[in-house]
Amino acid sequence: MTHGSHGTIVKCLECGLVRTDPLPDEKELLKSYANVDETLYAENIGARFKTFKHNLDKIARYFPKNGKLLDVGANCGAFLKVASEAGYAAQGVEPSRWCTDYAREKLGQNVTNGTISDLSPSEEGFDIVTMFDVLEHLNDPIKELNAINHRMRKGGILALSTLDIDSMLPKVLGERWPWLMDMHIYYFDPGIIEQMLKKTGFKVVYSCNYTHIISVDYLLMKLENMSVWGAGILGRSLRMIGANNIRIPISFGDIKLFVAEKI
């Protein structure tokens, strides 16, 4: 994942949707995701648990108290573990073979390797579907949202997080906004997300800023990778005194969390 490396990015003058041009080939894209190794993600799994617990607490009032939950793009299974511990019958689907193996073997989670189309036809009627930091990676977001809708019961809840290119930070940073990268295909704003959800059979009932809980060490490493002056020196200094693993909440408003109901 290289910050600042990206192809041509275009904006539709009619609807305002921002995306990479040209779109990648869908089969090649899935093949690349199948080979993703998330070692760094796994090394920070404790912070991931806290991140998901924090955000789940913010939206739990919109969820049924229990029921069947599907996490699309489950990565290493951190959210599945949090959801399982909260009482949900949770399962996930994840294209990366490495992540799927980690979720199964290290966290004991029920994860299917592949995409939602690889689930058994009997795996439907979900009360909740979650999709964190996934929509911007997809070749065809509308197709994915329709597939999700098909797997849910009427009145079921969809929760997703994704980038907001219309927020203040990307406007201020411009080309220096760190989420402009090759792996991100689409860049949304809240209005477009609401339109897409309406088109695919959902209505937004709540939205807010998404929060990450990360270690100071991880934050400074990211800033160093973005060539922020002094980040590397500060990181090494904090490691020397053992203060690098302090965890802090980060929310700049450029990632949004949406809750929608299937109608």
Side-chain angles (χ1 to χ4, degrees):
M1 181 169 65
T2 305
H3 297 282
S5 173
H6 60 83
T8 302
I9 297 175
V10 298
K11 180 176 183 178
C12 176
L13 297 178
E14 185 174 340
C15 71
L17 180 63
V18 179
R19 67 168 175 83
T20 297
D21 184 63
L23 290 174
D25 177 79
E26 186 170 13
K27 289 183 179 179
E28 290 301 314
L29 186 64
L30 288 174
K31 188 184 298 184
S32 69
Y33 288 150
N35 294 321
V36 165
D37 179 325
E38 287 278 25
T39 302
L40 181 60
Y41 186 106
E43 288 174 353
N44 290 274
I45 200 75
R48 306 295 179 175
F49 293 145
K50 290 185 178 296
T51 292
F52 287 126
K53 177 67 165 59
H54 178 88
N55 287 286
L56 179 58
D57 287 347
K58 287 199 290 189
I59 60 177
R61 66 185 182 274
Y62 297 100
F63 285 14
K65 297 300 182 185
N66 50 47
K68 293 171 58 181
L69 181 149
L70 175 68
D71 189 30
V72 177
N75 204 288
C76 292
F79 177 73
L80 286 175
K81 183 173 175 62
V82 169
S84 298
E85 291 175 349
Y88 295 101
Q91 67 182 86
V93 60
E94 167 56 46
S96 164
R97 290 184 291 269
W98 191 96
C99 292
T100 300
D101 289 343
Y102 185 98
R104 291 171 177 170
E105 297 167 11
K106 302 294 186 182
L107 299 186
Q109 298 303 309
N110 175 14
V111 179
T112 297
N113 181 226
T115 68
I116 195 168
S117 63
D118 294 308
L119 294 177
S120 163
S122 63
E123 294 177 283
E124 57 181 16
F126 288 100
D127 302 288
I128 303 166
V129 175
T130 54
M131 184 166 53
F132 299 105
D133 302 335
V134 172
L135 203 64
E136 62 270 21
H137 296 267
L138 302 176
N139 182 274
D140 190 343
I142 293 292
K143 177 182 175 182
E144 188 78 2
L145 290 170
N146 277 322
I148 287 170
N149 184 291
H150 179 72
R151 297 277 182 169
M152 296 176 68
R153 68 166 177 81
K154 187 174 181 179
I157 295 297
L158 168 65
L160 67 88
S161 65
T162 191
L163 304 171
D164 178 8
I165 198 169
D166 197 42
S167 60
M168 183 59 66
L169 192 64
K171 289 178 179 178
V172 171
L173 294 181
E175 277 289 320
R176 294 182 295 117
W177 186 43
W179 299 125
L180 293 175
M181 56 175 63
D182 290 324
M183 66 186 299
H184 291 155
I185 300 170
Y186 286 93
Y187 300 88
F188 306 102
D189 65 50
I192 286 175
I193 288 294
E194 189 162 350
Q195 291 173 29
M196 291 174 64
L197 289 170
K198 182 177 180 181
K199 185 175 181 178
T200 53
F202 297 95
K203 67 173 181 179
V204 174
V205 295
Y206 179 72
S207 65
C208 63
N209 291 336
Y210 189 80
T211 301
H212 286 95
I213 309 294
I214 61 176
S215 68
V216 173
D217 196 49
Y218 183 82
L219 173 62
L220 291 173
M221 183 197 66
K222 286 290 188 182
L223 293 176
E224 185 177 14
N225 290 342
M226 292 162 55
S227 301
V228 174
W229 186 88
I233 295 172
L234 181 57
R236 288 187 287 275
S237 300
L238 291 175
R239 281 191 288 275
M240 288 177 65
I241 62 173
N244 55 305
N245 286 321
I246 296 172
R247 289 177 180 149
I248 55 174
I250 296 290
S251 179
F252 296 117
D254 56 346
I255 302 177
K256 291 292 195 296
L257 177 60
F258 298 87
V259 179
E261 180 183 357
K262 177 177 174 176
I263 54 177

